Amino acid sequence: MGTKVKKMLFILSKATIENVYAAFVMANGARMEGIESEVFFTFFGLEAIQKKKLDHLHVATVGNPAMHIPTMLGGLPGVEALATKMMKKEMEKLDMPPIGEFLEILSDSGCKLWACKLAVDMFHLNEEDLIDELDGILTIGDFYNRADQEAAQILFI
């Protein structure tokens, strides 16, 4: 029995490593199942597609209940760097590509990658600041129109 979902659209608003990998794994999984997928990068999620920042993403150690450490400890110097190093090491063990390579894989698989116009304007970015694989800059209305079809799902990450 096949899936009834035809298209998955992901909205990524945070560029912490755990959020970015979650969106990318789900978008890639959709493509592997023959489902269309698109990722809309908005607000701080834009850092995942900025050429200068995508290799420097971190794990959120403060205010992240999944870390199972007191928030105060998450803010201590070095904790975020240590958690980020550990996460990258674990992802590497699972043969997960680095963020930049993952974006290339998604693009090559047919996943559409969109930047939010409002956020691009708010952060004073230019298209040249963003990855070459980007399919364009859209308003949220344009993005919602891309979801306006039967069996499309939007997921906010």
Side-chain angles (χ1 to χ4, degrees):
M1 185 168 130
T3 180
K4 292 182 180 178
V5 176
K6 302 286 184 217
K7 188 173 192 176
M8 288 296 304
L9 299 101
F10 301 93
I11 299 173
L12 182 63
S13 66
K14 298 176 190 142
T16 60
I17 286 180
E18 63 272 24
N19 284 48
V20 171
Y21 271 111
F24 288 6
V25 166
M26 288 189 281
N28 189 53
R31 294 300 305 136
M32 291 175 67
E33 295 296 323
I35 300 168
E36 288 182 61
S37 69
E38 302 189 12
V39 182
F40 185 75
F41 299 86
T42 189
F43 288 90
F44 297 109
L46 279 177
E47 292 190 6
I49 55 171
Q50 288 182 50
K51 293 175 186 172
K52 290 182 180 175
K53 294 186 176 180
L54 65 91
D55 289 327
H56 308 288
L57 304 181
H58 296 274
V59 170
T61 55
V62 175
N64 184 351
M67 290 296 295
H68 302 289
I69 60 173
T71 295
M72 190 173 74
L73 291 179
L76 292 175
V79 172
E80 182 183 86
L82 176 64
T84 299
K85 183 177 180 178
M86 289 173 60
M87 172 75 90
K88 285 183 175 179
K89 189 175 177 180
E90 290 301 316
M91 297 308 273
E92 194 175 309
K93 282 183 196 174
L94 295 171
D95 204 24
M96 298 298 290
I99 301 297
E101 188 179 330
F102 213 154
L103 284 162
E104 291 176 24
I105 291 168
L106 287 170
S107 179
D108 290 347
S109 75
C111 177
K112 299 291 184 193
L113 305 170
W114 306 107
C116 171
K117 180 170 179 9
L118 173 73
V120 166
D121 291 347
M122 186 177 72
F123 291 119
H124 308 288
L125 297 171
N126 296 310
E127 204 161 333
E128 300 80 41
D129 299 321
L130 306 173
I131 59 169
D132 297 333
E133 294 82 6
L134 193 68
D135 289 291
I137 300 172
L138 301 177
T139 65
I140 190 64
D142 294 333
F143 185 70
Y144 285 152
N145 284 334
R146 298 188 63 78
D148 189 17
Q149 66 183 63
E150 190 174 328
Q153 302 287 322
I154 296 178
L155 203 76
F156 192 90
I157 299 174

